[in-house]
Amino acid sequence: MPDELAHLLPLVLPETEFFWTSGRDGRLRVQSCRSCSALIHPPKPRCPDCSGADTENRVLSGRAILFGFTVNERFAIPGVSAPYVVAEVALDEDPSVRLTTRLVECEPRDLRLGMPMEVVFENVEDVWLPLFRPIAGGLEPVELPEDTIAPGDYAKHVRPMLSTKKFEDDVVLSGIGSSRMGRRLMADPLELTIEACERAVADAGLSFDDIDGLSTYPAGGVETGHSEGGVTAVESVLRIKPTWYNGGGETFGPGGSVVAAMLAVSAGLARHVLCFRTVWQSTHDQLIRDGSLAQPGMSRISGQMGWSMPFGATSAAHTLAQTAHRHFSRYGTTRETLGWVAINQRANAALNPTAIYRDLITMDDYLGARAITSPFGLYDCDVPCDGAVAVIVSAADTAGDLAGTPVRVEAVGTQILERLEWDQSTSTHEPQVLGPAAHLWSRTDLRPGDVDVAELYDGFTFNCVSWIEALGFCGIGEAKDFLDGGKNIARDGVLPLNTNGGQLSHGRTHGMGLLVEAVSQLRGEAGDRQVLGARVGVVSSGGLTPSGAMLLRVDQ
């Protein structure tokens, strides 16, 4: 294997060396708890099942069943040309433990979920990558293992409210603003941020002298095109001298910056918090292609991605596509089911002058589009773009002084119930969706039938399918029927969905653009795409990473 693969190798640490060097003698090893015998993967200093600290590295049979797979057509890794198959396998010794891997010595058309597999190691430098192949002899597939918590049972595991007082009642969403948005704007991302912030402040009828808090997702630099530099960069321009500020990625999805701001206002740390989100990925990528911006340095991969990228799982698409495949297998969902989501978003975008893609698409267009990673095609994926959005969280007692209609927050859903490691989490729904959805409904007397408009995270079409079922707009496994024909999610349907075109057509703002759209709808300010009589809206943010949901309303 050529040395150029080195930059996609995992960072080998003392506690993980046993796994990455197992192949030296051809035997797969996984950490195990001596107290309860549970397998632990990825390795940890304590057993998640019994909290025991006495662990060993157990030699396994190297056999597994095929738990998920996706045929990658779009992405590339050095030394391995597309198409290739990214997969998850469930270990024979404990099928609840899965490894992300790459399949070899197989034809994608012959793969079936539940097929028996066996490990085969590939040595690159000091790492032995555990790849898998079908076991010879044509053994019959078996049933996939069930999740520890059934998709419909998450409400049973939600912690009850600690008091009848809700911090949500202490705040309103007072102002929204968006910068210009487009593909490859070649604009300073910080300038886009200031545009959005200025418009949000003006929309609320405030001045920057009134702003005493800043909150953003994520924090940090501009290296990936997913930030303008965070609070540090924005404060260096605005100089508002905040009494409270916040920035970070480990929060309730991109909307976590808004939830944090709500908590700060409720606690009395600030009166008006300016929350902002900026992306400039399309310009960033173009500058790299032009040679104007240096390609990020290649190094060993650490953290969660170190367990997936070495096998070619370089995108969230590779994880979510496998989850979609299992949903297809268990519930009869089809590519057409996903297609109705994409078609609906484009129909809404056609009425939105700020949307990047506005031409209508048909089911034939959707099904015939370029493959990305099965079952996802081009129209299943959101649009990298440049733009910024801003939302102001204000104290509820300022509502009478605001320029526009204040939007109230009825409830938030933030509890983590699913496992955070992508390949160890929920099998048929996007991870970090079922838990926050169940938590949301525990904090309100409103029900799914009260919702007039839904702005649901759609990095991929299947995100929407997961959120629709998790939030109870149809039963678990019933999305195929609910979405069939697209009528239920149209602007005049029972659940108007992603009315601005969503990230699939309006542009990828990682969920914050959906929050801005929800506020516009509830105020009755959405123009040609307005849903008549919209008084209650739900917004979701993220998934795969920790995520959250918010239920919004306007006073009658």
Side-chain angles (χ1 to χ4, degrees), residues 169-223:
D169 296 335
D170 297 334
V171 306
V172 293
L173 304 183
S174 60
I176 55 174
S178 300
S179 74
R180 65 205 129 126
M181 183 173 293
R183 297 273 284 167
R184 295 177 286 276
L185 295 179
M186 308 311 251
D188 181 348
L190 186 55
E191 174 61 27
L192 297 176
T193 306
I194 302 306
E195 281 183 21
C197 290
E198 288 175 337
R199 291 169 183 175
V201 170
D203 180 66
L206 301 171
S207 72
F208 278 111
D209 289 339
D210 298 309
I211 302 299
D212 52 5
L214 291 173
S215 190
T216 188
Y217 167 98
V222 298
E223 294 83 2

Side-chain angles (χ1 to χ4, degrees), residues 419-488:
R419 284 190 61 170
L420 291 173
E421 304 98 333
W422 292 0
D423 53 5
Q424 311 299 315
S425 196
T426 49
S427 63
T428 56
H429 293 75
E430 178 188 11
Q432 312 312 319
V433 165
L434 294 163
H439 185 223
L440 176 94
W441 295 120
S442 75
R443 297 182 63 80
T444 176
D445 292 329
L446 297 179
R447 297 293 94 189
D450 296 311
V451 173
D452 301 309
V453 62
E455 311 293 346
L456 304 181
Y457 192 83
D458 61 336
F460 302 94
T461 50
F462 186 71
N463 295 82
C464 281
V465 172
S466 292
W467 279 110
I468 286 169
E469 292 190 353
L471 286 164
F473 295 118
C474 69
I476 296 296
E478 295 177 1
K480 178 182 178 181
D481 292 336
F482 183 79
L483 292 170
D484 188 36
K487 293 181 180 179
N488 284 335

Side-chain angles (χ1 to χ4, degrees), residues 43-385:
K44 297 173 177 62
R46 295 286 188 279
C47 173
D49 288 354
C50 73
S51 299
D54 186 11
T55 65
E56 63 180 345
N57 303 324
R58 190 194 304 179
V59 176
L60 303 183
S61 65
R63 294 200 167 202
I65 63 169
L66 184 58
F67 190 74
F69 68 92
T70 179
V71 182
N72 168 74
E73 304 277 1
R74 167 68 177 83
F75 304 93
I77 58 175
V80 181
S81 59
Y84 58 82
V85 182
V86 177
E88 294 170 9
V89 296
L91 299 176
D92 274 11
E93 287 80 359
D94 183 353
S96 70
V97 176
R98 279 100 71 170
L99 305 183
T100 292
T101 186
R102 194 172 75 249
L103 300 189
V104 294
E105 301 178 36
C106 63
E107 288 291 335
R109 64 176 177 270
D110 296 331
L111 296 174
R112 300 290 184 273
L113 293 179
M115 286 179 64
M117 312 293 289
E118 64 183 359
V119 72
V120 53
F121 292 96
E122 188 170 72
N123 178 216
V124 186
E125 297 186 16
D126 60 337
V127 171
W128 280 259
L129 295 171
L131 309 182
F132 280 78
R133 65 187 178 193
I135 293 177
L139 298 178
E140 289 297 315
V142 300
E143 290 291 324
L144 297 185
E146 300 285 342
D147 289 344
T148 303
I149 302 176
D153 288 346
Y154 275 78
K156 301 175 183 177
H157 299 270
V158 171
R159 290 193 180 97
M161 289 177 58
L162 298 177
S163 72
T164 56
K165 182 180 182 335
K166 297 195 303 180
F167 75 92
E168 295 99 322
D169 296 335
D170 297 334
V171 306
V172 293
L173 304 183
S174 60
I176 55 174
S178 300
S179 74
R180 65 205 129 126
M181 183 173 293
R183 297 273 284 167
R184 295 177 286 276
L185 295 179
M186 308 311 251
D188 181 348
L190 186 55
E191 174 61 27
L192 297 176
T193 306
I194 302 306
E195 281 183 21
C197 290
E198 288 175 337
R199 291 169 183 175
V201 170
D203 180 66
L206 301 171
S207 72
F208 278 111
D209 289 339
D210 298 309
I211 302 299
D212 52 5
L214 291 173
S215 190
T216 188
Y217 167 98
V222 298
E223 294 83 2
T224 64
H226 289 162
S227 173
E228 69 299 285
V231 169
T232 300
V234 171
E235 172 59 10
S236 72
V237 175
L238 297 181
R239 295 297 295 134
I240 69 169
K241 304 178 181 65
T243 57
W244 176 88
Y245 63 92
N246 165 79
E250 289 193 311
T251 182
F252 314 112
S257 64
V258 179
V259 175
M262 292 166 57
L263 288 164
V265 170
S266 178
L269 285 167
R271 296 278 285 168
H272 301 285
V273 179
L274 178 58
C275 307
F276 55 93
R277 174 80 179 103
T278 300
V279 291
W280 61 291
Q281 186 181 354
S282 59
T283 287
H284 173 273
D285 293 350
Q286 184 62 48
L287 291 173
I288 289 178
R289 285 191 291 269
D290 293 345
S292 302
L293 189 66
Q295 179 78 28
M298 299 301 183
S299 61
R300 291 294 181 102
I301 304 162
S302 61
Q304 179 174 280
M305 297 305 292
W307 300 98
S308 57
M309 285 188 69
F311 303 100
T314 58
S315 166
H318 292 122
T319 296
L320 198 60
Q322 295 183 70
T323 309
H325 190 186
R326 287 187 290 268
H327 197 283
F328 283 21
S329 177
R330 182 164 298 177
Y331 301 120
T333 319
T334 65
R335 285 208 67 212
E336 285 82 357
T337 306
L338 304 183
W340 292 120
V341 174
I343 292 166
N344 175 76
Q345 315 303 64
R346 188 60 65 87
N348 291 335
L351 301 176
N352 186 354
T354 67
I356 292 174
Y357 291 133
R358 302 179 59 197
D359 293 337
L360 297 177
I361 58 173
T362 66
M363 186 62 76
D364 285 342
D365 294 329
Y366 168 82
L367 294 174
R370 174 163 52 93
I372 302 299
T373 188
S374 63
F376 296 157
L378 181 64
Y379 294 124
D380 290 293
C381 307
D382 61 7
V383 184
C385 65

